[in-house]
Amino acid sequence: AQRVTQPEKLLSVFKGAPVELKCNYSYSGSPELFWYVQYSRQRLQLLLRHISRESIKGFTADLNKGETSFHLKKPFAQEEDSAMYYCALLSGYSTLTFGKGTMLLVSP
Amino acid sequence: GAGVSQSPRYKVAKRGQDVALRCDPISGHVSLFWYQQALGQGPEFLTYFQNEAQLDKSGLPSDRFFAERPEGSVSTLKIQRTQQEDSAVYLCASSLTTGMVGNEQFFGPGTRLTVL
C-alpha cells in the first residue's frame, strides 16, 4: 500500500534562512508526487508537481527514487511562506495519498 | 473565477443525526473526489467519481457514509447516524480529467462537521 511520511510537524526558521521540508514515500508503482500548500484561512492548493519540474515561489522539489524522497526546498525563506505544507502521492485513477503535513513558520 | 464550492461551511450535528454535505465542482470537470481531514492529519481519500459513476469508494469508513453524483456535476456526501468520530473537515476536489495530464485536483474550502 502507498504511504507518505512527513517527519516534521513543525519547522520554524528565520526569514532568509534555507528551508527543507522532508517527504518520503512508499509505492510499488511509478510515483507521481505533489506538494500542496494551505495558507491561513485559504483552501488547499497545488504548489508544484515533480513531473513539471517547475520552480514555484522559489520552491523546488526533486524526486529521488533511490531514497524514495521528494523534499521541498527553498534557499531563502520569506514570511509569506508560512503555511501548512502537504506532500501527496498519486495512485490508482487519481487518488491522492497525503502526508500528515508540516507547518512552516517563518519569523522576521 | 469560480472554483469548487462546498456547503454548508460549518455543520453541527447531534450524535445520531443524518447530515448531507454538498459539493459544486468546477464546471466541466469530469472527476470529483471526497476527502476527510481529521484534526492534525492530512486529507484522507473517501471516494471518487468520474462523471456520474462512482469508480472507487474504498475509503468510505463505514456503510453509514454514502456519496452520489447523479447528473455528473454536483455531488452529495451523506453520513447517516453520525458519531463523534465523524467530526472532521470534509474536502471536495475536482479535476478536469485523470491520467498524467490535466489531473490537478482543485479543492473546495471544506465543510467542518462537529458531532456532539
Side-chain angles (χ1 to χ4, degrees):
Chain A
Q2 59 272 12
R3 187 171 65 246
V4 175
T5 303
Q6 293 180 252
E8 302 137 330
K9 273 192 169 182
L10 172 66
L11 185 62
S12 185
V13 302
F14 288 106
K15 177 182 171 182
V19 167
E20 181 178 65
L21 298 162
K22 291 185 167 48
C23 171
N24 287 89
Y25 67 91
S26 173
Y27 184 55
S28 57
S30 184
E32 186 176 350
L33 287 144
F34 303 79
W35 277 98
Y36 277 81
V37 61
Q38 189 166 26
Y39 300 103
S40 180
R41 297 189 184 88
Q42 294 187 26
R43 63 185 66 189
L44 201 59
Q45 58 186 284
L46 180 66
L47 179 63
L48 57 78
R49 55 199 303 175
H50 90 270
I51 280 182
S52 60
R53 302 185 66 82
E54 293 175 299
S55 172
I56 307 293
K57 299 185 180 183
F59 284 97
T60 59
D62 290 319
L63 177 62
N64 185 324
K65 292 187 178 180
E67 296 183 358
T68 60
S69 69
F70 188 57
H71 303 326
L72 184 68
K73 300 177 184 179
K74 184 169 183 177
F76 307 104
Q78 303 299 315
E79 289 180 68
E80 55 266 30
D81 296 329
S82 294
M84 195 75 183
Y85 290 81
Y86 295 95
C87 182
L89 168 70
L90 190 72
S91 62
Y93 289 101
S94 279
T95 304
L96 286 174
T97 299
F98 286 87
K100 292 187 176 183
T102 298
M103 170 70 77
L104 174 64
L105 186 61
V106 182
S107 304
Chain B
V4 178
S5 60
Q6 293 185 246
S7 61
R9 292 293 312 278
Y10 302 91
K11 177 69 179 177
V12 178
K14 291 184 179 178
R15 190 174 57 183
Q17 279 185 331
D18 297 349
V19 298
L21 312 180
R22 178 188 167 108
C23 172
D24 282 84
I26 294 172
S27 178
H29 277 197
V30 167
S31 301
L32 186 145
F33 307 83
W34 283 97
Y35 293 86
Q36 181 190 58
Q37 186 172 20
L39 190 63
Q41 304 295 315
E44 292 192 3
F45 170 78
L46 293 177
T47 186
Y48 157 63
F49 290 86
Q50 186 166 320
N51 296 307
E52 68 279 3
Q54 189 175 20
L55 297 186
D56 188 346
K57 54 181 181 179
S58 62
L60 296 177
S62 78
D63 58 8
R64 295 186 296 103
F65 286 71
F66 172 77
E68 60 183 5
R69 193 187 185 197
E71 296 177 359
S73 178
V74 171
S75 177
T76 304
L77 176 67
K78 297 179 179 178
I79 309 173
Q80 296 177 323
R81 305 181 302 282
T82 52
Q83 304 294 315
Q84 285 188 322
E85 61 262 28
D86 299 336
S87 295
V89 175
Y90 289 86
L91 295 170
C92 176
S94 71
S95 69
L96 185 60
T97 182
T98 59
M100 297 296 281
V101 178
N103 64 359
E104 176 184 346
Q105 292 186 27
F106 294 85
F107 283 81
T111 294
R112 182 178 296 278
L113 173 65
T114 302
V115 182
L116 303 176

